[in-house]
Amino acid sequence: MIIALAFVGLVILGLPIGFALGAAGVIGLYQIGGDNFVALGPGKMFNGLNIFPFLAMPFFILAGEIMNHTGITSRLVMLAQVLVGHFRGGLAHTNMLASVFFAGLTGSATADAAAFGKTLVPSMVERGYRRDYACAVTAAGSIIGPTIPPSGLMVVYGSLMGVSIGGLFAAGLLPGLIICAVCMAVIAIGARANNLPQSEERARLPQIWATFKESLLALFMPIIILGGILGGIVTPTEAASIAVGYALFIGTFVYRKINMDDMVKMLIRTARVTGVIFVIIAFASIVGWYLSFNQIPQMVANSILGISDNRYVVIALIIGLLLLIGMVMDITAILIILAPVLVPLTAAIGLEPIHAGIIFVLALNISLMTPPVGACLFVLSSVTGEPLERITAKLWPFLLAEVAVLFVFAFFEDLALLMPRMLGFA
């Protein structure tokens, strides 16, 4: 109890979540065994980071930085626009489809939100869309990024819980595509109510082909990453490093938009993002060890099973807990702390490890767009200047639709494991 109070109190006082976790973890260690146990802290932090697949994260982040810098975003947006721009609310549909294309480059919801907040949201406003609606569409599409691989959250989950990262990547493909389709349906259904602009002229086949050729080099990136991992040719870490090499080659020798000064800036941004994530992982490892030492996972599992041992009730309780905590806490920290607590519970009700993993990832991704602390909402609000509460008001239809998709994949194991089974991961 004291560790929870310490953590909440420090966060309220404004201490960053990573350091609040570290301080709470040290208090927990001292509570268990005094100074001798506090001395275990550095070792637990090192062990929490000393996991080889974690190397994939900075490589994926750097590859995304390079591809963004070379103007790949605009090419992918143009491809999406010629494919779906002729529908009513064409730019909203374009925003959603572009999120699918962009997912294979960054795997980051906040990166997608920032990129589209700077580019697509102003374009939508110029074409007659309300800014709050444009931001809501962008927020809803941004979670496709970390759902369709590569996904940093999947790398963390797979590394911590000993689950195949390739299997998780395979399991993320179908939910990501269905989230895109469902959100596009929400756009179409609400087109008149939101007074979306009328459809543009349908692009002709030569224009589609020309735009596709311009985007081909960008589309090769996810093919390299996913093809290598899902085909069993390379590990996620190796695929990430290959992606960096490919992005560097394209940016330097094809588009000729990268010089040494640009490279230094991209490396600095990558180091900052990676540093924030790794600080959270390191300090959360202490808290995770404290929970395990005190057998908190077993206590939580027994408590929930005491409420009901019905598979679907337990899954709903887990999803509700993840969505609720995700509203007020960083999702990487939630994953590191709660996965060891809740995964034994999923095993007790017979969930396949990859199925349990995709439930965790989907739920936490959705929490990125839930108030009051949804990271994507804050990014869009800061980039566009639109008040958070106005974005949230327009976001609810998309949020409810994505939660419905989450429950479908949580309750229907055959659907969730369709791709992993096809590719031999489950």
Side-chain angles (χ1 to χ4, degrees):
M1 185 65 178
I2 188 172
I3 190 173
L5 292 173
F7 172 72
V8 172
L10 290 170
V11 170
I12 291 174
L13 290 173
L15 194 67
I17 284 179
F19 295 107
L21 280 171
V26 170
I27 291 171
L29 291 178
Y30 187 83
Q31 182 190 23
I32 294 173
D35 294 340
N36 292 333
F37 266 60
V38 171
L40 297 174
K44 300 302 176 188
M45 291 171 60
F46 177 80
N47 291 334
L49 290 173
N50 190 27
I51 300 174
F52 179 72
F54 279 170
L55 280 176
M57 295 176 67
F59 281 122
F60 280 136
I61 294 168
L62 179 58
E65 284 282 347
I66 296 170
M67 297 299 273
N68 287 346
H69 181 79
T70 56
I72 289 299
T73 306
S74 58
R75 291 177 172 85
L76 294 178
V77 169
M78 284 300 300
L79 176 60
Q81 189 164 0
V82 299
L83 293 175
V84 298
H86 57 280
F87 296 119
R88 178 165 188 167
L91 268 184
H93 291 293
T94 297
N95 191 324
M96 204 60 62
L97 186 59
S99 295
V100 174
F101 296 150
F102 210 54
L105 304 183
T106 64
S108 167
T110 52
D112 290 10
F116 290 163
K118 293 175 183 176
T119 55
L120 269 178
V121 170
S123 298
M124 292 175 72
V125 173
E126 287 176 8
R127 301 283 184 91
Y129 294 80
R130 288 181 48 148
R131 183 177 279 103
D132 54 359
Y133 182 81
C135 289
V137 171
T138 304
S142 66
I143 72 157
I144 296 173
T147 302
I148 295 178
S151 166
L153 206 60
M154 291 180 186
V155 172
V156 174
Y157 183 92
S159 302
L160 291 175
M161 305 313 300
V163 178
S164 167
I165 296 174
L168 291 171
F169 279 10
L173 287 170
L174 192 56
L177 294 175
I178 290 180
I179 286 173
C180 175
V182 168
C183 287
M184 290 177 75
V186 171
I187 293 169
I189 292 169
R192 292 190 182 278
N194 289 294
N195 195 29
L196 300 188
Q198 294 288 343
S199 59
E200 301 173 5
E201 183 180 350
R202 183 189 293 268
R204 299 185 181 277
L205 192 59
Q207 183 184 358
I208 295 174
W209 175 244
T211 308
F212 174 75
K213 287 194 296 184
E214 288 183 10
S215 309
L216 199 57
L217 291 175
L219 295 174
F220 270 131
M221 173 77 91
I223 293 173
I224 290 171
I225 296 171
L226 295 183
I229 296 171
L230 301 182
I233 301 170
V234 293
T235 66
T237 304
E238 292 164 346
S241 59
I242 291 171
V244 170
Y246 175 79
L248 274 175
F249 177 81
I250 296 301
T252 305
F253 299 105
V254 179
Y255 295 138
R256 300 181 182 277
K257 289 189 175 182
I258 297 178
N259 55 40
M260 186 57 66
D261 187 50
D262 296 328
M263 197 66 222
V264 170
K265 291 177 181 177
M266 287 186 285
L267 286 170
I268 291 173
R269 286 195 296 269
T270 299
R272 285 175 177 168
V273 175
T274 305
V276 170
I277 296 172
F278 280 8
V279 163
I280 292 173
I281 293 174
F283 285 131
S285 299
I286 301 176
V287 176
W289 184 86
Y290 170 87
L291 296 175
S292 298
F293 183 87
N294 287 285
Q295 297 187 325
I296 302 297
Q298 294 86 339
M299 292 168 58
V300 171
N302 291 335
S303 298
I304 293 180
L305 291 174
I307 298 172
S308 173
D309 59 358
N310 182 284
R311 176 189 182 97
Y312 300 109
V313 173
V314 173
I315 290 174
L317 288 172
I318 290 173
I319 290 174
L321 179 64
L322 291 173
L323 290 176
L324 184 64
I325 298 179
M327 293 173 71
V328 295
M329 189 173 170
D330 178 83
I331 63 170
T332 305
I334 296 171
L335 187 64
I336 296 167
I337 294 171
L338 287 188
V341 174
L342 297 177
V343 166
L345 182 58
T346 65
I349 59 173
L351 282 188
E352 206 274 353
I354 292 176
H355 186 198
I358 204 63
I359 291 173
F360 271 78
V361 170
L362 281 175
L364 292 176
N365 284 344
I366 290 173
S367 72
L368 287 170
M369 51 180 272
T370 54
V373 191
C376 291
L377 297 183
F378 273 99
V379 168
L380 283 165
S381 181
S382 63
V383 167
T384 65
E386 189 69 16
L388 200 66
E389 60 274 12
R390 290 174 61 88
I391 301 174
T392 303
K394 291 292 184 181
L395 187 61
W396 287 111
F398 298 101
L399 182 58
L400 294 174
E402 292 180 357
V403 170
V405 173
L406 166 60
F407 273 96
V408 167
F409 278 90
F411 286 166
F412 296 96
E413 184 177 89
D414 289 340
L415 180 63
L417 295 180
L418 178 63
M419 293 301 294
R421 284 172 176 163
M422 287 177 60
L423 295 168
F425 290 103

